Amino acid sequence: MNSLIVLTNLDLLLAAMLVLALAGLAARMKLGVSTELLVAAVRTTVQLTILGLILKTVFTSSNGWLVAAITLVMLFVAAWEVLSRQKRKLHRRWGFSVSIIALFVSSFVITLLALLIIIQADPWYTPQYAIPLMGMLLGNTMNGIALGMDRLVQTAWQQRMVIEQRLMLGQTAVQAINDIRRDSMRAGMIPIINAMAAAGIVSLPGMMTGQILAGSSPQEAVNYQILIMFLITAGTGFGVVAVLSLISRRMFDERDRLRFDRLLQPKKD
Amino acid sequence: MINLQSLQIANYSPITLKLEAGECMGISGASGSGKTRLLRAIADMDERGGEVIVDGVVSQSIAASEWRKKVALLPAESVWWFDTIGEHFRFYNHYFSALGFSEEVMSWDVTRCSSGEKQRLSIVRLLESCPTLLLLDEPTANLDLENARRVESLIASYLADNQASAIWVGHSAEQLKRVSNMRFTMKEGVLNQITDARQVTDE
């Protein structure tokens, strides 16, 4: 069982050749993704190598403050990533706080609950559990939050005439935005709902695959995968709800007027 | 009775005026002169200073949604969000027939309606909440003469029956003469009365 096959640099180089070959082919056919492809491949190599080095030291030291510092950095980078995926730019400081709050709810709080109540490692912040869990949650809930936020702001902007017409007919701000809010909730939740529905039949989830490759028994891997799926679902859901209520509240003022000026950065020419 | 008390829009000078129940005020003026902004300010759709009082009720004293049921704004271009016309209404009422629609209008597909039909239907929709003040932004711009007359007489009978008032923004001087008790022109946010001597102060 424990005859784990360790990957050498040569193994990775062989896999890298595939990406290089693809980039070469794309360049020849003028398909235009070659540069992006190579940059992303280099990024993933460098980022993950550095992460490996950091984790190695963190795992051996098992220092709670170090774990806290790393999760905070992850949180801020994820919030920045959510904002940069928005087609319409929110007011920077305000948009950043909204993303931080949503990710805090979706990842930080949920990870904390899972560590304290479900996994109960000793100490509870044991980095082998805390950091991968937080990473999985951030990476996945970030998607849902970014999608839900983008859908809400985009649709509300496109349908601002509809929203105003509904207000003019005496609807409240909540009534006027509710259809769009429901639609955005769906947009944010669909990826994880699909992932849950397809797991085990169409797709083998990445974490479970990794665990099995690393020598865990399939049942153990499955249990962890189910736990992660539920945590991601709950995290995404609460995170998207937080984003939707914060943004739709900001979109209207106390007299139920539609106020994109409070939400969006003014367009520069 | 309607009171505008030093209603302040953008950097225009404040507007103060009175409108009795049943009266209709006509406003004309070049585009960009502030007519639409005045209507939006009265309906509390934009930030503005001053106050609007309808039958003793101050706008800020009730919820914005309640205010807009009392003070109903008809935008120049009506907007529809459901698939069929009927979904936008509670039920078929006599305003439909007054504007020439039979009951089958309720099943009509919104995308197949002409702009004139939508404009007439939006007037029916406006009257459904039984507002005290109608703010009409070029309500007959897309209509032929016959339908424009129908709208004029529907509004007139609505005002008389419900002791309601209206502010009618339009381009045709003849039409404004027919529908309104007093007429104003607007230029850069300032109202000037055309004939009789009702109080309009530009402070």
Side-chain angles (χ1 to χ4, degrees):
Chain A
M1 191 77 200
N2 279 332
S3 57
L4 193 56
I5 300 168
V6 176
L7 291 180
T8 63
N9 284 343
L10 184 66
D11 297 332
L12 295 181
L13 201 63
L14 287 174
M17 299 289 266
L18 285 176
V19 179
L20 265 179
L22 175 65
L25 179 69
R28 261 188 79 123
M29 293 177 67
K30 300 196 192 310
L31 296 179
V33 286
S34 309
T35 327
E36 282 167 83
L37 196 64
L38 291 178
V39 169
V42 171
R43 271 190 67 170
T44 206
T45 315
V46 173
Q47 285 165 204
L48 289 179
T49 309
I50 294 174
L51 179 70
L53 290 174
I54 294 176
L55 288 185
K56 199 174 154 191
T57 38
V58 176
F59 282 12
T60 46
S61 82
S62 199
N63 179 337
W65 293 111
L66 204 55
V67 176
I70 288 178
T71 49
L72 270 183
V73 171
M74 289 163 77
L75 195 66
F76 274 81
V77 174
W80 188 78
E81 182 70 26
V82 166
L83 279 194
S84 67
R85 287 194 203 170
Q86 302 302 312
K87 273 192 214 103
R88 299 207 164 265
K89 297 293 169 215
L90 303 176
H91 274 305
R92 199 166 296 136
R93 214 175 278 172
W94 186 82
F96 196 74
S97 340
V98 169
S99 313
I100 287 277
I101 292 170
L103 288 167
F104 187 82
V105 171
S106 77
S107 306
F108 210 88
V109 174
I110 301 270
T111 308
L112 212 60
L113 282 178
L115 288 174
L116 287 172
I117 297 167
I118 302 173
I119 296 178
Q120 295 184 326
D122 182 37
W124 61 268
Y125 52 82
T126 305
Q128 278 95 319
Y129 293 93
I131 291 179
L133 209 55
M134 177 83 180
M136 288 286 290
L137 278 170
L138 266 181
N140 285 282
T141 59
M142 185 181 84
N143 266 326
I145 288 171
L147 282 172
M149 197 189 234
D150 188 57
R151 177 67 70 91
L152 179 70
V153 177
Q154 274 289 92
T155 319
W157 176 259
Q158 280 161 3
Q159 299 196 9
R160 54 196 188 281
M161 303 268 284
V162 170
I163 297 174
E164 288 215 310
Q165 173 80 76
R166 296 179 83 145
L167 293 174
M168 286 172 199
L169 290 168
Q171 294 195 358
T172 61
V174 174
Q175 290 168 328
I177 194 75
N178 203 33
D179 286 347
I180 298 174
R181 217 155 56 165
R182 189 180 318 166
D183 195 45
S184 314
M185 182 72 191
R186 234 184 107 69
M189 293 301 289
I190 279 295
I192 182 63
I193 291 177
N194 286 344
M196 283 203 290
I201 304 176
V202 189
S203 64
L204 273 191
M207 189 194 86
M208 188 181 121
T209 318
Q211 246 184 309
I212 293 175
L213 283 179
S216 292
S217 84
Q219 284 112 310
E220 276 172 39
V222 161
N223 284 346
Y224 262 96
Q225 189 62 51
I226 294 176
L227 173 73
I228 286 286
M229 285 288 202
F230 287 167
L231 294 182
I232 291 175
T233 308
T236 308
F238 291 127
V240 175
V241 168
V243 158
L244 296 186
S245 38
L246 287 171
I247 292 188
S248 52
R249 195 164 302 170
R250 177 83 174 179
M251 207 181 282
F252 298 93
D253 65 13
E254 71 290 348
R255 294 300 294 168
D256 282 8
R257 306 179 186 112
L258 185 60
R259 295 285 301 276
F260 275 108
D261 58 311
R262 291 167 26 127
L263 194 64
L264 300 176
Q265 267 179 43
K267 274 244 163 77
K268 283 172 219 138
D269 295 311
Chain B
M1 193 174 69
I2 318 294
N3 277 302
L4 306 193
Q5 289 183 349
S6 34
L7 190 68
Q8 170 95 48
I9 308 157
N11 44 16
Y12 293 152
S13 46
I15 295 172
T16 297
L17 63 83
K18 266 186 197 157
L19 200 57
E20 298 293 334
E23 277 187 333
C24 177
M25 170 181 166
I27 302 180
S28 56
S31 43
S33 59
K35 308 185 297 291
T36 299
R37 279 207 258 178
L38 173 65
L39 298 190
R40 284 179 61 93
I42 298 173
D44 208 359
M45 291 296 292
D46 290 325
E47 276 191 302
R48 37 64 159 183
E51 257 312 341
V52 183
I53 302 164
V54 170
D55 292 342
V57 178
V58 180
S59 71
Q60 305 295 314
S61 70
I62 59 174
S65 55
E66 291 307 312
W67 178 256
R68 292 182 195 125
K69 281 179 194 152
K70 267 184 194 297
V71 177
L73 171 57
L74 182 82
E77 199 182 322
S78 70
V79 184
W80 305 80
W81 56 94
F82 293 121
D83 292 344
T84 66
I85 292 294
E87 288 168 277
H88 297 83
F89 292 89
R90 258 167 261 148
F91 34 75
Y92 184 82
N93 56 42
H94 66 278
Y95 299 130
F96 283 100
S97 48
L99 293 184
F101 295 105
S102 67
E103 203 161 348
E104 67 182 86
V105 70
M106 302 299 265
S107 62
W108 284 10
D109 190 337
V110 168
T111 52
R112 290 211 197 135
C113 293
S114 70
S115 55
E117 284 166 339
K118 282 190 215 164
Q119 188 155 39
R120 282 183 287 148
L121 287 165
S122 69
I123 291 165
V124 177
R125 185 172 62 177
L126 188 82
L127 299 182
E128 205 178 34
S129 64
C130 207
T132 316
L133 174 60
L134 306 179
L135 305 169
L136 309 169
D137 198 351
E138 303 188 35
T140 62
N142 299 313
L143 302 185
D144 55 41
L145 203 62
E146 189 196 337
N147 278 312
R149 291 293 186 133
R150 277 179 171 163
V151 168
E152 289 170 21
S153 62
L154 174 63
I155 298 292
S157 63
Y158 178 86
L159 297 184
D161 294 349
N162 296 278
Q163 285 301 294
S165 318
I167 299 180
W168 186 308
V169 166
H171 282 300
S172 151
E174 269 175 61
Q175 183 185 50
L176 290 181
K177 259 183 217 165
R178 278 200 301 273
V179 299
S180 62
N181 313 77
M182 48 185 158
R183 286 178 297 128
F184 292 82
T185 56
M186 193 166 216
K187 198 177 176 189
E188 284 169 21
V190 178
L191 284 174
N192 284 303
Q193 189 151 16
I194 296 179
T195 44
D196 67 341
R198 192 165 290 270
Q199 204 70 44
V200 177
T201 42
D202 304 316
E203 286 147 43

